[in-house]
Amino acid sequence: MKGNTIRVNFNLFIYFYLFTNVWLPKGAVAQPQNTTSAAAAAVNVGVVLDMDSLVGKIGMSCIDMALSDFYAAHPHYKTRLVLHTRDSIGDTVAAAAAAVDLIRNVGVQAIIGPRSSMQADFVISLGNKSHVPIVSFSATSPSLTSFQSPYFFRAAQSGSSQVKAISAIVEAFGWREAVLVYVDNQFGETIIPSLTAALQEINTRVPCLSVVPESASDDRIAVELYRLKDMQTRVFIVNAGMRLGSRILAKAEEIGMMSQGYVWIMTETMTSFWRSVDSSAVNSFQGVLGVRSYVHKSEKLENFTVRWKRKFQRDNPDITNAELNIFGLWAYDATFSLAMAVEKAGTANIGFDVSNISGNGVSTDLETLGVSRNGPRLVRELSNINFRGLSGDFHFVNGQLDLESSVFQIVNVNGNGERRVGFWTPKTGLVKNLSWQNTTANSTSRPKLGPIIWPGDNADSVPKGWEFPTKGKRLKIGVPVKVGFTEFLEVIWDSNYDRVKSVQGYCIDVFDHAMAKMPYPVPYDYIPFATPDRKPAGSYNDLVDQVYYGNYDAVVGDVTIVANRSLFVDFTLPYTESGVSMLVPIRDNKKKNAWVFLQPLTPDLWVTSGCFFVFIGFVVWVLEHRINDDFRGPPTYQVGTSFWFSFSTMVFAHREKVVSNAARFVVIIWCFVVLILTQSYTASLTSLLTVEQLQPTVTDINELLKRKENVGFLDGSFVEGILLRLKFDKSQFKKYTSPEELNELFLKGSANGGISAAFDEIPYINLFLSKYCGKYTTIKPTFKTDGFGFVFPKGSPIVSDVSSAILNVTQGDEMEQIQNKWFKSDQSCPDVDPIVSSTRLGLDSFWGLFLLAGIASIAALIVFAAMFLYEQRHVLFQFHPETSLWRKVGIMSRIFDQKDLNSHTFKKTEATYASSHCSVHDVGVDGSSPNTNCPPSPSSMSNRTDCSDFVFIVAQGSNTSSPDISRSPETERSPIELADYRQGG
């Protein structure tokens, strides 16, 4: 906005100046520099330069040589440029007036120049209005782009192209701050935004900008440099013209700012012209680094340099220290390209069309400039020019010199000359030597530059880029004023005087020990953050803000590193534990009642155990029923026996014999399960009855939110923000300032105006727990923080050194001594491990055992059933197809209920039972008459049934009520069914 206002005012002044017809003297019109042949057409071209400046003199000599070389190489060309020079005498208004004169009175087809960006700004507008191309080789301001005018061609690099190279140097040496010193004009200020952005990309802070007027006196420069000297930053980047830049460095040397520890970096303009200064001013450049465009050496360039020196010395015998630089090469190539474009454009449309005067009758000289008919064609030809010039590949893209492979060289002024210490390219970054085969990207490793001699003739060590001013004030270290938890920090006031007697505490000792390990002395004073009545002046956030506002140079205390504070200040590495946790009271949860014996096991484990006792009893009964008399008898007796046997295994008091191997296998597995279960139950019950059960009064934050109970936190702490994010209401908050006050709040309880829980940082909680052993505990979750750290301004270079010193303290024996000094309790406080989770035994601890017992039991049942069905297969095969499933099950159940006389347990009574048993075949299965007295056949000896419960096969439709069974031929193929028949029934 400021630049636009200046430009409007300046344009109004120019209009007024031109309206009054104030033109340069007629003698200022230069004679053509080149004679034209009879066959060649003369094309007028204007040149606007500061003829008394070194840039103007070098540029003019290169322009003359470019035309001579061009037409010597192309004698057959049909055009010849005729130069008309004007001296802008370093004045913007004079440059604009010269351009108007050249366009209106001479009718030039193009203008070379002007020298500075300030002069070019208005001349570009004139070229745009009159369609006359403006070609500048020295106006490097980034704001002068072709988007402002299609008739402007900048045959030079933009000033912003060098900022990456400068920032790479700053990054390479790890400088965290840099001050930008620049001239107060368009040339100086337009590069500052891009340079500042480039430094910010590498996390380098720009603490201030130093603006020096171009016409500033030596005293004005000295005042500005003294201001910079009182700062701790020692890296300065200068962007100014050679005349002002040399005066700045000379005054800096005079006041001691070119000594050891300082770093000075020059931008391209100063680096290109520093050798032109007087020999008396060379000393002020010693150790300075410079950045400038690099031109690859060639035989053509070396020959031209020799010829240029002879011409320049002949034309300017009073200048002995001038050297050809990149601006001269750009002037040569720009003239060369313009001559080539004029030749291609031709002379058919050379001339101007006069503009119409406005209808109100008032005209100005600007309205009579006319419009060049050849301008658009000349612009097209200039845009298509592409050749290899002295400065490299020369080609315009959107009116800007195309320098995709631009290379900058880094030089170090030493003695009367300079030493090249490295290069910078967009692909390789900083390198010591150029290698065009190396196209790797920028590496994070430290660049290998050549040896540098820094200001103060220092070649041994790289300046760290900052230091405490020798005449500066001591660091003001802000400390919080605390009422409680004074072990961390305490401000002791002098009772007789209104001043601080001392500041002590854990945090102070850590900081003092860290400062003692710094590689350089750091003077500082502790300043309490207090009101006149010695009360805290605000919260910890307010204290941190004081560093951001510049009222304190640092803050030392129990300040937690959190994200929102890190946005405005820098923290050192933490020196304490991190995190915020919930603190709650604990109580003895021992239950003394008649049902305490049920507590060791959870309900699901009780139910599962009972079900398995019943299941195991059933399995053993199935496996033993047919072969063991202990598991036979009336149904109620069998049920009681099964339960008795199963539950008696709990105390291993079962007396019934188990005779089958399958049942023994199941019982062994089950006894192992019962052993583990009973031993665990005994241990848990013993612990429950004898050990003190400490349980927290609150186990979840949601309980506090649901019951709307009060919670506490340290006064002034950031924890309040955490509680608000957890949806606590401010009416639930209770603040405390000391461990004693916190304990009183817990004793009152939430119902009586106290609290049910407190949220605090781990260092405070540890201190509180050491004073109140066994009464409180912490509950998860723990909110993550980074612990306590020391606060410094954003980008402060001292932070890294202090962090390194803190590591030396925390990893050494000093830290243990500091902790023992402030936190070691006189009483012996045993570690309390409250049982937060349930102490009851659950199913999740024993499901593996139950799974093992279940698999063993089911496997035994499957094996037994398979063997039983296999033994009774002759019965299964004789069932009629239409017999119902339930009838089949009933028949097999009755067979299962009989004794297995083939078992070894019944062999003694086998003869007695043999006379009273009949096989299934003997009772009519094969169709013969039933005979209850016949001996069993051999085929039926293996499967006998009790004759008191026969199984018959009868024809469907027969009289099932009659015990007599007959079979007639008519019914031999009829379906059969199974029926029960009891002898005598």
Side-chain angles (χ1 to χ4, degrees):
M1 191 69 180
K2 175 183 176 182
N4 293 336
T5 303
I6 295 176
R7 180 173 298 178
V8 170
N9 294 335
F10 174 73
N11 290 344
L12 292 176
F13 177 75
I14 290 296
Y15 279 115
F16 175 78
Y17 181 86
L18 297 176
F19 183 73
T20 58
N21 292 318
V22 179
W23 302 110
L24 291 175
K26 297 298 181 180
V29 179
Q31 297 298 323
Q33 301 296 318
N34 299 285
T35 60
T36 61
S37 63
V43 178
N44 296 323
V45 174
V47 178
V48 180
L49 294 174
D50 297 341
M51 296 304 177
D52 289 338
S53 67
L54 186 59
V55 177
K57 293 180 182 296
I58 294 177
M60 196 66 236
S61 62
C62 291
I63 291 173
D64 288 340
M65 293 183 67
L67 291 181
S68 299
D69 293 346
F70 181 80
Y71 293 119
H74 307 91
H76 59 283
Y77 276 10
K78 298 179 180 180
T79 59
R80 293 290 186 272
L81 297 188
V82 178
L83 300 181
H84 300 267
T85 61
R86 297 290 187 271
D87 187 359
S88 63
I89 61 175
D91 183 72
T92 303
V93 176
V100 172
D101 177 48
L102 289 171
I103 295 172
R104 191 187 65 174
N105 298 331
V106 181
V108 295
Q109 298 298 302
I111 294 178
I112 300 176
R115 179 190 68 84
S116 69
S117 300
M118 288 288 291
Q119 297 173 12
D121 196 6
F122 189 74
V123 174
I124 291 173
S125 299
L126 295 176
N128 188 38
K129 182 177 180 63
S130 59
H131 293 185
V132 174
I134 308 298
V135 183
S136 177
F137 62 87
S138 58
T140 59
S141 172
S143 63
L144 302 177
T145 62
S146 62
F147 298 103
Q148 292 180 345
S149 172
Y151 291 90
F152 172 63
F153 291 84
R154 175 160 49 198
Q157 286 197 50
S158 171
S160 59
S161 60
Q162 61 184 315
V163 299
K164 292 292 185 180
I166 296 174
S167 65
I169 298 174
V170 176
E171 183 181 23
F173 295 106
W175 297 321
R176 299 298 304 276
E177 286 188 355
V179 175
L180 307 184
V181 183
Y182 61 95
V183 59
D184 187 15
N185 58 26
Q186 186 176 7
F187 162 75
E189 66 185 11
T190 52
I191 192 181
I192 298 305
S194 56
L195 181 55
T196 303
L199 293 175
Q200 290 176 347
E201 288 180 1
I202 61 173
N203 295 324
T204 297
R205 179 171 170 261
V206 179
C208 74
L209 299 175
S210 178
V211 185
V212 181
E214 189 171 12
S215 59
S217 63
D218 289 347
D219 293 339
R220 171 68 177 84
I221 296 175
V223 170
E224 182 65 18
L225 291 178
Y226 274 118
R227 182 180 72 88
L228 300 180
K229 187 177 181 181
D230 289 338
M231 300 174 58
Q232 64 182 14
T233 307
R234 291 295 181 262
V235 179
F236 304 98
I237 303 174
V238 185
N239 182 47
M242 193 64 247
R243 184 177 302 176
L244 177 62
S246 61
R247 293 173 58 210
I248 292 175
L249 293 182
K251 186 58 67 174
E253 181 193 20
E254 180 181 333
I255 65 177
M257 294 182 66
M258 296 297 295
S259 58
Q260 186 171 348
Y262 285 87
V263 177
W264 291 86
I265 302 176
M266 301 182 296
T267 56
E268 182 162 34
T269 300
M270 288 186 62
T271 307
S272 300
F273 290 98
W274 80 269
R275 291 187 178 182
S276 63
V277 299
D278 296 335
S279 57
S280 59
V282 171
N283 290 334
S284 60
F285 284 82
Q286 299 302 307
V288 176
L289 291 178
V291 176
R292 68 163 172 248
S293 299
Y294 175 72
V295 179
H296 297 283
K297 293 183 178 180
S298 63
E299 183 178 357
K300 179 181 178 181
L301 177 60
E302 292 180 356
N303 293 334
F304 175 79
T305 302
V306 173
R307 292 190 296 113
W308 175 86
K309 285 185 177 180
R310 289 199 296 264
K311 174 179 174 54
F312 190 83
Q313 292 178 359
R314 183 174 62 252
D315 296 341
N316 304 278
D318 55 331
I319 302 177
T320 59
N321 55 355
E323 291 190 5
L324 181 64
N325 54 40
I326 188 63
F327 293 98
L329 301 181
W330 284 334
Y332 182 94
D333 291 341
T335 305
F336 209 90
S337 66
L338 182 60
M340 189 180 301
V342 168
E343 177 66 22
K344 292 181 178 181
T347 59
N349 293 324
I350 291 181
F352 282 80
D353 294 330
V354 180
S355 302
N356 294 327
I357 305 300
S358 57
N360 57 11
V362 179
S363 65
T364 64
D365 290 327
L366 293 180
E367 294 175 335
T368 61
L369 285 178
V371 177
S372 173
R373 293 190 295 269
N374 197 40
R377 180 173 178 81
L378 187 57
V379 167
R380 288 194 300 271
E381 296 300 336
L382 277 171
S383 300
N384 295 327
I385 291 298
N386 192 353
F387 66 96
R388 179 72 178 179
L390 294 179
S391 61
D393 293 333
F394 197 92
H395 175 58
F396 288 113
V397 177
N398 294 327
Q400 306 296 307
L401 190 61
D402 183 23
L403 294 170
E404 294 182 355
S405 59
S406 58
V407 180
F408 289 91
Q409 58 179 336
I410 317 300
V411 299
N412 178 216
V413 178
N414 182 235
N416 293 326
E418 62 184 27
R419 300 168 56 253
R420 188 171 61 202
V421 296
F423 298 88
W424 180 90
T425 69
K427 292 183 178 180
T428 61
L430 287 178
V431 291
K432 183 177 181 180
N433 297 305
L434 279 180
S435 177
W436 294 107
Q437 291 76 25
N438 183 13
T439 58
T440 56
N442 289 332
S443 174
T444 56
S445 61
R446 189 179 183 90
K448 297 179 180 180
L449 297 177
I452 299 175
I453 299 178
W454 304 97
D457 200 22
N458 173 30
D460 299 329
S461 60
V462 176
K464 62 177 180 291
W466 70 276
E467 64 183 21
F468 289 103
T470 56
K471 296 183 179 180
K473 58 183 179 181
R474 298 163 61 91
L475 290 184
K476 295 190 299 182
I477 308 296
V479 294
V481 176
K482 301 175 64 66
V483 178
F485 294 97
T486 54
E487 289 84 354
F488 290 100
L489 189 143
E490 182 181 13
V491 177
I492 302 177
W493 301 89
D494 194 320
S495 57
N496 297 327
Y497 303 96
D498 189 15
R499 62 183 180 87
V500 177
K501 183 178 181 180
S502 64
V503 181
Q504 62 182 18
Y506 170 78
C507 301
I508 298 299
D509 283 0
V510 173
F511 184 76
D512 289 341
H513 281 77
M515 290 297 102
K517 292 183 177 296
M518 294 285 284
Y520 43 83
V522 181
Y524 58 90
D525 296 313
Y526 292 119
I527 310 297
F529 184 54
T531 60
D533 57 350
R534 303 180 182 180
K535 298 293 181 62
S539 65
Y540 278 64
N541 286 337
D542 297 330
L543 177 57
V544 172
D545 289 342
Q546 300 305 309
V547 177
Y548 176 74
Y549 296 142
N551 297 328
Y552 291 139
D553 299 312
V555 166
V556 172
D558 46 348
V559 181
T560 306
I561 304 172
V562 291
N564 62 332
R565 294 173 180 172
S566 299
L567 297 175
F568 306 98
V569 295
D570 279 347
F571 286 91
T572 62
L573 290 177
Y575 57 92
T576 63
E577 295 182 76
S578 62
V580 174
S581 190
M582 182 170 71
L583 182 69
V584 297
I586 54 178
R587 62 190 175 192
D588 184 3
N589 200 37
K590 187 189 298 182
K591 297 292 183 66
K592 301 177 177 65
N593 54 57
W595 303 100
V596 68
F597 67 91
L598 295 176
Q599 291 188 12
L601 305 184
T602 57
D604 56 349
L605 185 55
W606 278 116
V607 173
T608 303
S609 300
C611 292
F612 261 83
F613 274 110
V614 175
F615 175 66
I616 295 299
F618 169 75
V619 172
V620 173
W621 174 81
V622 171
L623 299 176
E624 295 290 313
H625 177 65
R626 302 190 71 222
I627 62 176
N628 192 341
D629 285 332
D630 289 340
F631 290 90
R632 299 188 62 81
T636 56
Y637 176 80
Q638 294 183 48
V639 172
T641 301
S642 299
F643 281 136
W644 161 256
F645 177 84
S646 178
F647 281 97
S648 63
T649 58
M650 185 168 53
V651 291
F652 305 100
H654 48 285
R655 296 183 179 182
E656 289 76 13
K657 295 186 297 180
V658 180
V659 297
S660 68
N661 288 332
R664 289 172 178 173
F665 173 72
V666 172
V667 171
I668 289 174
I669 298 296
W670 177 244
C671 286
F672 176 74
V673 175
V674 171
L675 176 64
I676 299 299
L677 190 62
T678 54
Q679 292 294 329
S680 301
Y681 172 84
T682 303
S684 180
L685 182 61
T686 302
S687 175
L688 186 66
L689 295 176
T690 59
V691 178
E692 184 181 28
Q693 301 297 309
L694 299 178
Q695 294 283 351
T697 56
V698 179
T699 59
D700 191 3
I701 293 178
N702 293 325
E703 296 180 28
L704 301 172
L705 293 170
K706 185 177 181 180
R707 298 197 296 259
K708 295 187 179 299
E709 296 187 358
N710 296 337
V711 294
F713 60 88
L714 186 63
D715 189 16
S717 173
F718 70 96
V719 176
E720 181 178 4
I722 296 179
L723 297 179
L724 290 175
R725 289 194 297 271
L726 292 174
K727 307 302 182 183
F728 281 96
D729 191 84
K730 286 190 175 182
S731 61
Q732 299 175 252
F733 294 166
K734 298 291 182 181
K735 300 179 182 181
Y736 57 86
T737 58
S738 64
E740 294 75 17
E741 187 176 351
L742 175 58
N743 183 54
E744 291 179 2
L745 290 174
F746 274 125
L747 293 177
K748 290 181 180 179
S750 182
N752 299 319
I755 59 175
S756 298
F759 291 82
D760 214 334
E761 298 171 74
I762 290 179
Y764 297 123
I765 290 177
N766 292 339
L767 178 60
F768 179 79
L769 293 178
S770 67
K771 293 186 176 182
Y772 298 94
C773 300
K775 295 183 179 181
Y776 303 92
T777 187
T778 56
I779 301 297
K780 292 184 178 180
T782 298
F783 303 95
K784 183 65 177 176
T785 62
D786 286 336
F788 294 165
F790 302 129
V791 183
F792 286 90
K794 197 71 174 177
S796 175
I798 197 176
V799 173
S800 58
D801 292 336
V802 177
S803 296
S804 299
I806 290 175
L807 289 178
N808 292 332
V809 174
T810 55
Q811 295 177 1
D813 298 334
E814 298 160 302
M815 196 65 177
E816 183 178 357
Q817 297 174 2
I818 296 174
Q819 291 177 342
N820 292 336
K821 175 183 177 181
W822 295 104
F823 301 129
K824 189 173 183 180
S825 178
D826 296 335
Q827 57 178 330
S828 177
C829 183
D831 293 334
V832 178
D833 187 14
I835 306 171
V836 176
S837 60
S838 175
T839 59
R840 308 177 72 181
L841 300 175
L843 181 60
D844 54 347
S845 301
F846 298 95
W847 68 270
L849 292 174
F850 287 116
L851 179 64
L852 181 64
I855 292 175
S857 301
I858 294 174
L861 286 177
I862 293 174
V863 172
F864 172 80
M867 294 178 62
F868 173 74
L869 294 176
Y870 179 77
E871 292 173 355
Q872 303 300 327
R873 63 187 181 278
H874 59 282
V875 177
L876 296 174
F877 292 155
Q878 294 178 8
F879 282 131
H880 195 277
E882 294 186 3
T883 303
S884 67
L885 177 63
W886 289 111
R887 294 298 300 274
K888 293 178 182 180
V889 172
I891 296 299
M892 297 307 296
S893 298
R894 292 181 182 276
I895 296 175
F896 168 75
D897 193 43
Q898 306 305 315
K899 289 184 178 180
D900 184 4
L901 298 179
N902 197 38
S903 175
H904 68 280
T905 58
F906 295 137
K907 285 184 178 181
K908 295 179 180 180
T909 59
E910 181 179 353
T912 305
Y913 284 102
S915 61
S916 59
H917 283 69
C918 298
S919 69
V920 175
H921 294 279
D922 298 333
V923 294
V925 173
D926 56 355
S928 62
S929 301
N931 185 4
T932 61
N933 295 322
C934 63
S937 64
S939 63
S940 62
M941 284 299 294
S942 61
N943 296 285
R944 295 179 178 180
T945 61
D946 192 342
C947 286
S948 63
D949 196 2
F950 291 105
V951 179
F952 291 99
I953 303 177
V954 297
Q956 184 177 7
S958 62
N959 187 4
T960 59
S961 62
S962 174
D964 296 331
I965 302 176
S966 62
R967 179 172 299 189
S968 62
E970 294 81 8
T971 61
E972 285 181 354
R973 299 180 181 276
S974 304
I976 62 174
E977 64 178 0
L978 295 179
D980 293 340
Y981 176 75
R982 296 184 178 273
Q983 188 176 11

